[in-house]
Structure formats: structure tokens, C-alpha cells
Amino acid sequence: MCDARAKKITLVARSSAKRYYYMLKKLVDMVVEAFELIVRDFAIIMILATVMALISHRLKQPMVIAYIIAGMIIGPYTPPFSLISQTDTLEVFAEIGVFLLLFVVGMEFPIAKLKQVGGKASIIAAAEAGGTFLAGFGAGQLLGFSFYDSLFVALAISVTSTVIVMRVLEEMKLIKDQSSTLILGVAIIEDIIIISMLAVLQSVASTGTLSFIEIGISVGLVLAFIGGTIFLGARTVPKFIDLIGRMNNYDVLVIALLGVAFGMAFIAFELGISVAAGAFFAGVLVAESKMHSVSVVLATPLRDMFAALFFISIGALMDITLLPTFIVPALILVAVSYAGKFFTVWSSARAQGFDRITSARAGFGLSSSGGELALVTAQAGAATGVTSAFLLPMIGAMTIITTFMSPYVIKFRFKFAERWKNKGGEDTATPSTDTTATEQ
């Protein structure tokens, strides 16, 4: 009887072992298959991105356009079939791309540089960001958008594409002009305002409710985070980075930089603030260190790769079948952005004592909306789940339109502004300002 029981136990054990073996084998096969699909998708993304980047370079167009179009080609919404299968992986790449993109952007804004910008540029930046945001929100409501759709699209069109503007001014040999100095100063402050507003907007959207108390708490958290970054982080993080830098080991320095970036992002996340804002202000702290230049060189390749993946993922996640439904609103919002930015910058610059031509050039230069932060805003809205499906592709289409138009618009408008020079006998010399030239 004991032998029979032992045989039964043995048979059950063998059956269980065999069942668990096949379950484990199936799990391993699934992991291997998923890994193969990710590698295949990654290969398709990078090969097509390279081809589109070469075409863009040949046509002298911004890489952002090339990457977005590459994403649209391989995306699941482009007929006849999708070239990629793991869209979840694309979303992860997009998150990492936003993170590293804003981390390196933050490295270009040391606290000393922010102090040099001056009060007049700060007032103009606040007027531009606030005025354009209100105009965009009003336009969104008139177009029938939902409340949160209007908020996120308003913030997206408030962004200025600083890279494109500076590139055009360099080509026109106006980079040292007073208006260019003003444009750069305003753009620096505007980026910080937009990122802070995005942090507040995401925090409010994540709660699902909108009240003055919720807004006050969100604004307070963002201000506390920025204040802590400036007063506490600036006294510890730069010294830590310099200490690591004295080891003369770049591998350790890269790990330390990523540790600071992810640490700040985690703190921001725990406070309910945008992770992107945490990454940006981590870059600001690194910019205070003596190893700033080396840190930028080490972090830039990572940023370029993941930024490319970010723009490609945005293109891939754009449902172009919705194009007929949003192309007209997109064109209207582009026009609202150009008009709102020019009017707020020109009027506030004139109020600050700048002459007509400087105010006009600054208004025309800063009217170039779109760029990386606009896409970051659109992606943030989609990530919180409060925006409609059409918003991401619409802002992507707007970014393509404005990125293509901006160089030509700026050049034409700067020539048009020359007509105001000395008009009515106005002296073009501008009163002394506290806006100091900074190097890009």
C-alpha cells in the first residue's frame, strides 16, 4: 500500500514538474519573442530616422520635421500597415526622450545666466506667455474644445521655438543686435514659465478637479520645488558634481549626472509635479558646477538619441486619420499664436521703453511658436488622460507647419520691420536696459 502511495506521489510530482516546465518554457518564449520584436522595432526606427535625417539635412530643414514624418511612416495609423508592433515601447522611449531633452536644456540655463536676463525681459516674457495662453484658451473654447483640451493647446501655442529663431538670426548676421539680445532673454524666461505652468497643469489635471484651492496647492508646490532647487540644491549638487569630476573618470560622472537627474525627477514626481520639470531643474543645478561644459558634452549624445526617439514616437502616435477633423482648427490656432505673441511682445516692449524697430523685431522673432516644448506639452496632456485623441496629432501638425514656416516668416517680417526705422523721426536708440547679452 505504501508502494502504491509512493508511486502516486511520484506521478503527481512528475506531472506538476512537467506542467511547470511547459509554463516556464512558454514564458521564456514570450519574453524572447517580445525582445525580438523590440529589437526589430528599434532597428526600423533608427534606420528610417537616419534616412529622413539625411533627407532633411539635404533640404536644409529642421530635424524635428524629419523625425515626426519618420514616426508617421512607421506608426500604426499609417496605411496599409504598421511597421512597428510595440507601441508601448515607443511611449516609454518618449518619456525618456522628454526627460533627457529637458535635462540637457536645463544645463544651458545656469542661475547666473538667469540673473543676467533682467527685469524688462522677464516682464515681456510673462506678458507674452500669459497673453498668448489666454488667447489660445479662448480660441479653443470658441472652437468647441473641452476645458482641458483648451488648457493644453493654449500652453502649447505659448511656446517659442528658440532654436529656430536663433539659427535664423545667425544666418541674417543679427545675433548681436539689441533685438536679438532681447529675444534670447525673453525666450529663456519664457521656457521656465512654460515648464512651471506645465507642472501646475499636470498636477491639477491628475486630481481630476479644478478649484482655486487645488490650483493654489499646485502653484505652491511648484514654487516650493523651484525655491528648494535654487536655495538648497544649488549649494549641494554643484559641489557633488565637481567632486565626482575631480576623479577624472567620465563613466562615473555620467552615472552621477543621471543619478542627479532621476533623483530630482523622483522628487518632482512624489510632489505631484511634472517629471519633465524635475529633469529641467536638475540640469539647472548641474549648470552651476565647474564640470558644466564636460557634463553637456557627455549628456548630449544620450539626449540626441532619445530626443530623436521622442519625436519619432510622437509622429508614430499621431492618428493622421483624424487630419480632416483638426486641420482647420490647427491653422486657426497657428494664426492666433502668431498674432497673440506679436501683439503681447510688441506692446510690452514698447511699454518698457524699447524703440519701434527693436520692439517689432522682438515681436516678430518671438512669434515663432512650436518646437520641442509644444510636443512635450501635448504628450503630457495625453499621458494624464484628460485630453482628446485628436490633440496630440493636431499639435504635432501645428509644430510641423510652424517649424517649416518660421524661418521664412522671421526673415520677411524683419525686413518689414525696417520700414519702421526712424519713422516719424523716432530715435532708434533705446534707453539703457538691464537685459544683458548672453551667449547661447
Side-chain angles (χ1 to χ4, degrees), residues 60-81:
K60 297 182 179 180
Q61 296 300 319
M63 293 293 179
V64 175
I65 296 179
Y67 293 146
I68 293 176
I69 294 176
M72 293 170 65
I73 292 173
I74 65 176
Y77 302 107
T78 305
F81 55 84

Side-chain angles (χ1 to χ4, degrees), residues 327-391:
I327 187 61
V328 174
L331 293 175
I332 293 173
L333 288 167
V334 168
V336 169
S337 175
Y338 274 115
K341 281 176 168 292
F342 173 77
F343 176 76
T344 52
V345 172
W346 183 82
S347 57
S348 56
R350 291 290 290 159
Q352 294 296 307
F354 290 95
D355 59 74
R356 272 193 298 235
I357 188 169
T358 300
S359 301
R361 282 179 171 177
F364 289 140
L366 289 164
S367 64
S368 172
S369 63
E372 296 87 349
L373 278 180
L375 294 174
V376 170
T377 301
Q379 195 270 341
T384 55
V386 297
T387 57
S388 303
F390 74 88
L391 199 70

Side-chain angles (χ1 to χ4, degrees), residues 19-207:
R19 184 168 67 252
Y20 287 130
Y21 168 77
Y22 283 115
M23 289 174 61
L24 181 61
K25 184 176 183 298
K26 185 177 181 181
L27 179 62
V28 171
D29 290 341
M30 289 172 61
V31 171
V32 171
E33 182 181 0
F35 180 75
E36 290 175 351
L37 291 174
I38 292 173
V39 172
R40 189 199 68 180
D41 289 349
F42 195 81
I44 293 173
I45 290 170
M46 297 312 294
I47 291 171
L48 186 58
T50 302
V51 173
M52 294 302 299
L54 289 173
I55 294 174
S56 177
H57 177 73
R58 192 73 175 176
L59 297 176
K60 297 182 179 180
Q61 296 300 319
M63 293 293 179
V64 175
I65 296 179
Y67 293 146
I68 293 176
I69 294 176
M72 293 170 65
I73 292 173
I74 65 176
Y77 302 107
T78 305
F81 55 84
S82 173
L83 294 176
I84 58 173
S85 55
Q86 302 292 317
T87 55
D88 292 341
T89 305
L90 273 179
E91 293 177 357
V92 173
F93 285 149
E95 293 287 346
I96 298 175
V98 170
F99 179 87
L100 291 173
L101 179 66
L102 292 183
F103 176 55
V104 177
V105 168
M107 290 187 192
E108 300 298 329
F109 298 137
I111 296 173
K113 186 175 182 179
L114 298 180
K115 291 179 180 178
Q116 290 178 349
V117 168
K120 292 189 175 182
S122 300
I123 292 173
I124 295 171
E128 180 199 359
T132 309
F133 180 83
L134 291 175
F137 179 79
Q141 291 289 281
L142 290 174
L143 290 170
F145 293 175
S146 70
F147 181 75
Y148 281 109
D149 285 346
S150 299
L151 285 177
F152 276 95
V153 80
L155 189 60
I157 69 171
S158 301
V159 177
T160 298
S161 182
T162 312
V163 175
I164 295 175
V165 173
M166 289 296 109
R167 186 179 301 166
V168 173
L169 294 178
E170 286 177 356
E171 290 177 359
M172 297 176 68
K173 302 187 185 304
L174 290 171
I175 196 65
K176 294 183 178 180
D177 186 79
Q178 184 184 39
S179 59
S180 300
T181 303
L182 179 61
I183 288 171
L184 180 57
V186 172
I188 289 173
I189 298 299
E190 185 194 68
D191 285 348
I192 296 174
I193 291 173
I194 295 299
I195 291 171
S196 301
M197 289 175 67
L198 176 61
V200 172
L201 197 55
Q202 276 192 284
S203 178
V204 171
S206 63
T207 64

